[in-house]
Amino acid sequence: MSGEMRRGTRVRAGAIRFTFDGREYLGQPGDTAASALLAHGVRQFGRSVKYRRLRGVLSAGPEEPNALLTVGRRPAVIPNVPAPQLKLRDGLILRSQNRWPTLSRDLASLLQAGGGFLGAGFYYKTFIWPNWRTYEPVIRRLAGLGEAPSACELPPPDVEHLSCDVLIAGAGAAGLAAARAAARTGARVVLCEREPVCGGELEFEGASIDGRPALEWAAATLTELEQRGVRVLSDTAMVGGFGGQIVLHAEPGGLPGANTLYRVRPRAFVIATGAVERPIAFVDNDRPGVMLLGAAERYLARYGVHAGRELVLFANHDRAYAAAARLAAGGMRVRAIVDVRSEAPGAADRAGTLRAELERGGIECLTGHAVTAAEGGARIRAVRVAPLVGAGRERRIDCDALLVSGGWSPSVQAGLQEGGTREYCAAIGAFLATGQPSWRAFAGAANGHLELGAVLADGHAAGEQAARHAGRSVPAGSGAAGRGDEPPRLAPFCRSPASLRLEKRQFVDLQNDVSVADLRLALAEGFTDIEHVKRYTTLGIGTEQGATSAVLGAAVLAELKGEPPAAVGVIRPRMPFQPVTLRSLAGLRAGAAYRVARRTPLHEWHAANGGLLEPSGLWMRPRHYRASGNDASAAAFAEARRVRETGGIVDGSTLGKIEIAGPDAPAFLDAMYLTKASTIRIGRSKYMVNLREDGIVLDDGLVMRLAADRFLATLSSGHGDHMLSHFEYYLDTEWSERRVTLTDVTEAWAVIAVAGPRSRATLESVLGADWRSALSSLGHMDFTAGQYQGRELRVLRASFSGELAFELHCRPAIAVPLWQALVAAGLLPYGLDALDILRVEKGYLVSAELNGETTPQDLNMEGLVNLGNPCLGRELLDRPGFHEPARPRLVGVRACDGRGKFRAGAQLTAPDAPTRPVGYVTSAVFSPSLGEWIGLALVARQLGESAQLTACDPLRGAQTPVRIVPPVHFDPSGARMKS
Amino acid sequence: MTRLKCPFCGPRELREFAFHKTLPAGPGTAFERTYERVDRPERSVEHWQHIEGCRGWLKVERNPSSGAVLTTRLLGGSSVDGAP
């Protein structure tokens, strides 16, 4: 096999090198990992999740539960890639999963050596003594499907947004018929197909459509579709969707690499996704070498790969005979066909004729029998077969591959999202999706039709109906007529009989190691609803989401409960409908593109001068400057001390700034702020506070009056957008008839705060003689405007540090020259950490105190409240609940011994109730001015001025006795800033 | 993903909008207007802002049970109307 070139519909001549578990193999172009390894005789592809049993390939599609491979090298591996979908590329490195140290010798498989049964919910019933944590590390290492990567080297996908009249998922017979019908009405159609070629099952059936070979019809249809402008996307799977948008994922390699994500918004959606073959449960039905019947046909037809040399077929329908004939013609020897039905197909049917022919050719055709067990070790060597009724001994038939088919389950996942119900269809022994919204419909095998004639008619009708829904008129005309395999005459059969003891080896869900015994256990423990059974036993979770296990599980559960399958129902699968990497789903919103990075005009200067830039919300801001100290706290300490001793400059450009203008602007601001803005003189600013509707403080800042009808409001750095929306909302509701305009000018002005004893003198020397008299006469909270280097500059005398300070509002173009001039004149920069130290020393508030739960009274602003301005939030401010003794009050805290340390977040407790906090520390810093730890805290109002409390930090096991002090720790009279 | 029809910008995906509040059934005291929550499974009147677009404020009537958007109107007394 390895020597000669295989021939098939998907492979070409050539050689591709790849490795699997460290060994090198050769494949052909067009091969998948599964086909190439099967061609080399590899039968073991991995081990199962729970019991670590060896597993082989079960299927030929993304529904593969067993053969999931890890691709690539650590740390950027890609786990859980289904081998039948993984197209080979030169140099691919593949590894099997869930085994250590090697696939053939796995340590954890000793778990099953003692015949141990790790039944459903075993975590809760074992590993109890002495403590779950004793076992947890080991179990966490063993648990899980595949290995999570710790790095991602995947490229971002291309993202395309499409809009169309009709989207058709699946280009098999039904999908092609639907696309043709819809396109002929002139509708804009998008057709997607998960496989690299269209046609679906037509590849195998040897059918004829409209009098010619089916594949010829398919090719002609595709040509017609292209001529009519239909967009045909192959290698593109429908993976999910919400709210009218369907998500398609194109991954040409089956392996994450260059890929495309399509977000399609169709007016009508036809789901022609076909049906997935399902297995039958019998003892050891997971042994490598047990494969789905259709999968073996695919490997033969597409890749020229033989599933085995001596085959046994096990099925419950007529199609097994046609399949046997095709496999035998392909060069494999079929030893027996085990048919569970009590009546063999008669001589009148084509299946009966075939059966007779096969028997004449030496194939044993058993009727009314079932395979009860798959024997062998690392691979299957024989099957045990027994009659289902009557006496008769169990026999053994040697084989090296067992091909199973229990019927087909329509792929209805897309119809069970956002509504949609499941209905049991006895004819096919599976569930259909009903109760669909008018724009979404199923067609073909996905709609329960298994005969080609019905499939084509159904697809045609669905395409016409979809075009109608999209507003097109449908011309008269019928669809294609075809004839393929005979109807399967399926007799529902889910599991072979077995003793209770052996039920734990009859697997219902291969991916999650769920057996018949698990289902029986779940029922015994009171889980009767199938969705509960799913969660308790893990049936149908994982990458295959019940594709091969849901219907089988429902049937077995129905048998165990003694109820009809229609009453039991089936589990609801979740998106994505086939494995997709998170990288692909993220589209373009990942990595550096995930969030906007906002930078101030001084950003480059900070970066070039040792500023440690970190995200603060969306902004990048310097925490401190490297030249100031060895580590973060030393640098912040030095910077803060320097500001108080001589002075410093800080970049405050991130401050939110909104201009409010118009004849009604003063009245508008009076309503929006706790105190009146209309009384501010032109050229002056005022500290103002906003309330929410419910009386809670929303934000604080300065409001500057630029003119009679023009104000500039500054807001916290993080709140700019939020406050703009807040003002805009009231402008559009209660104030919509008034003449007020709002303009966000946050990025129109850079802000440099110059603070410290030397600030005025340095500013005068930098700004020049023009500014001298204005600066020297500038009172506290006044501002003046002028120019610097030909651009606008406003100088506002206000302080967030408690020192004599000036806020320079300048146009961004002059921000860097102005900053550099100030540095050259001797004022060094300080960062956010130092800013925080300075403001805590002065008891100024930031979001830690304005935390969305505090009222103005809590924050010692009763005086402002009592001014009585009728503003937003005033009504609810008077609620009795806001005046209770347990309401928080803003206070300062210091360690009792003048040395102790405490952190923000520390809970404060009183001596008489050490486990019930009476408040917590909101901010804490080590103060250079006072030489000890100081903080601000919110404590219950009822506590006295000099209460003794303990600051408790349970995470770090620290406790510090503290005392309550006034919140302004340094220079309470404000003399320094008013000098 | 559901779409809202912004009267200025046309039909846009829900992620471009920010939800603000659901309006109570009728006028009441300040307390009721701020805190009343009445479940109306068939018709919910809400205020949304098109923050990733024109920043206009919208009054949206939705059926929360089915997710269908019934009407969309600009707040602010403008005559621009966005019927779905």
Side-chain angles (χ1 to χ4, degrees):
Chain A
M1 176 75 69
S2 336
E4 49 190 55
M5 284 287 136
R6 285 170 280 118
R7 275 205 289 258
T9 56
R10 301 243 180 123
V11 288
R12 305 182 298 281
I16 296 183
R17 290 196 142 68
F18 68 101
T19 62
F20 174 59
D21 277 354
R23 216 175 119 180
E24 205 177 82
Y25 293 89
L26 281 179
Q28 290 172 222
D31 255 335
T32 63
S35 61
L37 289 169
L38 284 172
H40 277 275
V42 173
R43 291 290 176 268
Q44 294 83 22
F45 282 72
R47 285 186 181 261
S48 68
V49 158
K50 197 158 60 168
Y51 297 117
R52 308 293 255 238
R53 290 165 67 100
L54 280 170
R55 294 285 169 81
V57 174
L58 182 79
S59 73
E63 65 269 14
E64 175 58 42
N66 289 331
L68 303 180
L69 305 181
T70 296
V71 181
R73 269 192 233 276
R74 290 195 184 96
V77 295
I78 303 159
N80 299 330
V81 184
Q85 288 231 292
L86 219 179
K87 289 205 188 66
L88 282 191
R89 263 186 257 155
D90 219 53
L92 213 52
I93 299 168
L94 304 175
R95 268 190 293 131
S96 57
Q97 298 184 165
N98 302 331
R99 87 295 184 276
W100 185 84
T102 63
L103 183 57
S104 49
R105 290 192 201 303
D106 172 63
L107 214 55
S109 64
L110 296 176
L111 282 171
Q112 56 168 315
F117 172 53
L118 302 175
F122 76 94
Y123 288 3
Y124 312 111
K125 304 172 204 162
T126 52
F127 306 119
I128 295 174
W129 184 92
N131 191 322
W132 158 250
R133 303 216 182 282
T134 316
Y135 309 94
E136 191 181 353
V138 177
I139 291 184
R140 287 206 183 279
R141 250 209 317 260
L142 293 178
L145 195 60
E147 164 197 349
S150 47
C152 175
E153 286 167 11
L154 298 175
D158 288 325
V159 179
E160 219 185 298
H161 290 256
L162 297 177
S163 180
C164 63
D165 290 326
V166 179
L167 170 66
I168 300 168
L176 287 171
R180 202 174 73 145
R184 282 185 180 177
T185 69
R188 289 172 304 142
V189 178
V190 173
L191 174 66
C192 76
E193 165 56 52
R194 151 191 112 196
E195 297 287 324
V197 290
C198 301
E201 292 297 302
L202 297 178
E203 235 187 304
F204 310 104
E205 284 192 16
S208 71
I209 303 180
D210 280 349
R212 48 184 172 162
L215 288 175
E216 235 180 74
W217 174 86
T221 306
L222 279 169
T223 314
E224 183 190 332
L225 292 178
E226 261 162 73
Q227 281 165 356
R228 289 187 189 275
V230 171
R231 187 120 181 243
V232 179
L233 302 167
S234 58
D235 267 324
T236 305
M238 189 254 323
V239 295
F242 285 115
Q245 183 188 86
I246 311 296
V247 179
L248 311 179
H249 186 227
E251 208 153 57
L255 169 73
N259 62 94
T260 309
L261 199 71
Y262 296 94
R263 296 188 177 272
V264 188
R265 199 166 272 282
R267 292 177 126 146
F269 184 27
V270 175
I271 309 171
T273 42
V276 173
E277 204 164 27
R278 62 175 173 273
I280 300 174
F282 49 89
V283 175
D284 292 334
N285 62 329
D286 65 329
R287 211 174 281 292
V290 177
M291 193 185 282
L292 290 169
L293 180 52
E297 288 208 72
R298 276 163 180 70
Y299 285 117
L300 175 65
R302 291 175 182 169
Y303 311 103
V305 168
H306 292 187
R309 274 190 287 266
E310 311 267 320
L311 311 176
V312 170
L313 271 57
F314 177 31
N316 61 346
H317 53 77
D318 273 354
R319 296 256 169 99
Y321 301 98
R326 289 192 282 263
L327 292 167
M332 290 173 267
R333 182 169 167 228
V334 180
R335 292 210 51 187
I337 302 176
V338 181
D339 192 335
V340 303
R341 297 171 300 171
S342 47
E343 268 179 44
D349 304 316
R350 207 168 84 185
T353 330
L354 254 178
R355 182 178 184 273
E357 238 176 77
L358 294 167
E359 267 188 318
R360 279 196 298 273
I363 298 176
E364 193 179 351
C365 294
L366 296 164
T367 319
H369 278 64
V371 168
T372 52
E375 291 188 343
R379 55 178 302 174
I380 192 171
R381 298 213 186 284
V383 291
R384 280 212 303 276
V385 175
L388 286 169
V389 278
R393 281 179 321 120
E394 221 182 32
R395 300 171 37 203
R396 173 179 288 127
I397 305 178
D398 290 338
C399 65
D400 69 350
L402 172 64
L403 307 180
V404 180
S405 177
W408 297 269
S409 312
S411 297
V412 293
Q413 302 99 317
L416 298 178
Q417 314 296 323
E418 294 185 299
T421 45
R422 296 146 286 192
E423 203 179 273
Y424 184 68
C425 174
I428 56 169
F431 291 81
L432 301 176
T434 53
Q436 301 296 302
S438 56
W439 59 278
R440 187 170 83 190
F442 284 87
N447 206 14
H449 299 285
L450 294 177
E451 294 161 72
L452 185 56
V455 163
L456 289 168
D458 199 40
H460 182 87
E464 286 190 332
Q465 182 52 31
R468 237 176 249 123
H469 187 89
R472 303 279 170 176
S473 55
V474 176
S478 62
R483 209 176 119 84
D485 280 353
E486 297 300 306
R489 292 198 315 135
L490 195 136
F493 187 80
C494 60
R495 71 169 186 133
S496 306
S499 67
L500 271 180
R501 188 179 55 86
L502 291 175
E503 277 183 354
K504 65 183 186 240
R505 277 154 54 192
Q506 289 189 314
F507 288 94
V508 168
D509 180 345
L510 290 162
Q511 186 163 81
N512 299 296
D513 267 350
V514 177
S515 65
V516 173
D518 287 310
L519 299 184
R520 198 185 278 284
L521 183 65
L523 279 180
E525 296 193 3
F527 296 96
T528 50
D529 185 305
I530 193 164
E531 292 285 357
H532 289 154
V533 171
K534 167 184 174 179
R535 282 144 182 84
Y536 190 57
T537 61
T538 73
L539 167 77
I541 71 175
T543 67
E544 57 113 53
Q545 283 295 299
T548 54
S549 60
V551 175
L552 180 59
V556 170
L557 199 66
E559 195 193 289
L560 295 176
K561 282 172 95 171
E563 279 175 23
V568 168
V570 74
I571 62 180
R572 187 188 299 272
R574 302 294 183 194
M575 299 184 239
F577 302 137
Q578 65 176 60
V580 187
T581 59
L582 287 174
R583 185 65 193 85
S584 302
L585 290 175
L588 301 172
R589 289 190 170 216
Y594 180 67
R595 277 192 317 185
V596 168
R598 299 183 81 174
R599 300 176 168 192
T600 71
L602 295 162
H603 181 93
E604 259 88 49
W605 192 95
H606 299 315
N609 287 276
L612 182 73
L613 290 157
E614 280 190 5
S616 176
L618 292 179
W619 291 99
M620 294 299 286
R621 305 188 70 180
R623 295 279 300 272
H624 60 263
Y625 294 84
R626 231 168 272 127
S628 308
N630 293 330
D631 60 59
S633 50
F637 183 91
E639 285 171 5
R641 193 172 57 185
R642 195 194 313 136
V643 171
R644 295 241 185 265
E645 286 176 358
T646 49
I649 52 175
V650 66
D651 178 4
S653 306
T654 60
L655 217 53
K657 311 165 203 78
I658 301 177
E659 255 200 39
I660 305 105
D664 294 317
F668 177 69
L669 289 177
D670 282 351
M672 291 287 108
Y673 282 93
L674 178 61
T675 49
K676 283 193 191 297
S678 50
T679 53
I680 306 174
R681 281 188 291 105
I682 297 173
R684 202 153 160 77
S685 73
K686 188 163 146 188
Y687 173 74
M688 309 264 276
V689 163
N690 298 95
L691 300 184
R692 282 191 332 217
E693 269 181 355
D694 59 358
I696 299 288
V697 175
L698 186 53
D699 198 14
D700 68 349
L702 298 182
V703 173
M704 296 157 63
R705 190 161 200 169
L706 305 171
D709 60 352
R710 235 171 108 220
F711 296 80
L712 179 74
T714 65
L715 318 145
S716 309
S717 292
H719 276 181
D721 301 323
H722 184 70
M723 289 307 297
L724 183 64
S725 292
H726 175 81
F727 288 146
E728 284 172 333
Y729 180 66
Y730 289 100
L731 217 51
D732 273 2
T733 49
E734 291 150 30
W735 287 78
S736 59
E737 302 300 311
R738 308 296 207 98
R739 299 155 299 170
V740 185
T741 58
L742 299 173
T743 315
D744 180 357
V745 295
T746 304
E747 297 188 357
W749 296 98
V751 174
I752 300 171
V754 184
R758 288 210 209 133
S759 53
R760 184 190 278 126
T762 314
L763 203 51
E764 281 176 2
S765 79
V766 165
L767 292 181
D770 302 338
W771 283 84
R772 184 157 301 128
S773 73
L775 284 174
S776 55
S777 61
L778 200 60
H780 185 60
M781 300 300 270
D782 287 345
F783 69 91
T784 178
Q787 296 218 326
Y788 179 73
Q789 293 189 359
R791 308 281 191 138
E792 282 176 81
L793 171 67
R794 283 187 197 132
V795 178
L796 162 68
R797 186 175 157 185
S799 176
F800 194 55
S801 55
E803 294 301 306
L804 170 65
F806 299 84
E807 245 181 54
L808 309 179
H809 293 213
C810 68
R811 290 299 181 188
I814 48 165
V816 174
L818 185 51
W819 178 275
Q820 285 175 326
L822 289 163
V823 172
L827 287 181
L828 293 179
Y830 60 103
L832 281 187
D833 290 348
L835 191 66
D836 200 45
I837 291 176
L838 295 169
R839 70 102 191 158
V840 171
E841 286 180 342
K842 293 296 295 179
Y844 291 151
L845 310 176
V846 294
S847 57
E849 290 79 34
L850 308 177
N851 59 11
E853 293 178 343
T854 46
T855 64
Q857 293 97 322
D858 296 343
L859 300 170
N860 303 329
M861 294 180 197
E862 290 93 342
L864 298 181
V865 174
N866 293 338
L867 292 176
N869 179 33
C871 63
L872 174 71
R874 159 74 55 180
E875 270 186 80
L876 290 178
L877 201 51
D878 298 327
R879 279 182 278 170
F882 281 158
H883 302 276
E884 282 176 2
R887 271 312 289 184
R889 182 172 63 96
L890 180 72
V891 297
V893 284
R894 290 209 210 172
C896 288
D897 63 1
R899 275 196 329 265
K901 171 177 174 169
F902 48 88
R903 288 181 206 256
Q907 302 292 301
L908 297 169
T909 57
D912 57 344
T915 56
R916 262 182 294 130
V918 294
Y920 71 101
V921 177
T922 58
S923 315
V925 295
F926 187 80
S927 161
S929 312
L930 300 153
E932 60 173 306
W933 282 88
I934 59 169
L936 300 173
L938 291 166
V939 296
R941 195 171 288 206
Q942 72 219 28
L943 290 176
E945 266 296 319
S946 39
Q948 306 273 358
L949 303 171
T950 312
C952 310
D953 190 346
L955 288 181
R956 297 181 184 89
Q959 292 190 1
T960 313
V962 296
R963 58 193 171 88
I964 292 183
V965 297
V968 185
H969 297 272
F970 178 74
D971 184 27
S973 64
R976 292 172 77 95
M977 73 181 172
K978 294 188 183 145
S979 64
Chain B
M1 177 167 314
T2 321
R3 295 203 292 186
L4 287 182
K5 186 160 182 170
C6 172
F8 285 132
C9 309
R12 309 303 285 254
E13 309 240 320
L14 200 63
R15 71 151 71 103
E16 294 187 9
F17 298 83
F19 172 80
H20 179 59
K21 67 196 282 190
T22 305
L23 297 181
T29 62
F31 187 87
E32 284 163 4
R33 279 200 309 273
T34 308
Y35 288 109
E36 182 205 270
R37 294 282 180 268
V38 174
D39 279 334
R40 284 186 292 173
E42 297 307 312
R43 186 167 162 272
S44 166
V45 182
E46 301 162 356
H47 285 167
W48 292 72
Q49 186 182 26
H50 194 189
I51 52 168
E52 282 187 29
C54 61
R55 289 191 75 88
W57 277 96
L58 310 178
K59 177 175 166 187
V60 176
E61 281 176 45
R62 276 191 334 127
N63 179 329
S65 312
S66 69
V69 177
L70 305 169
T71 64
T72 321
R73 198 162 277 116
L74 260 193
L75 284 178
S78 165
S79 58
V80 180
D81 192 340

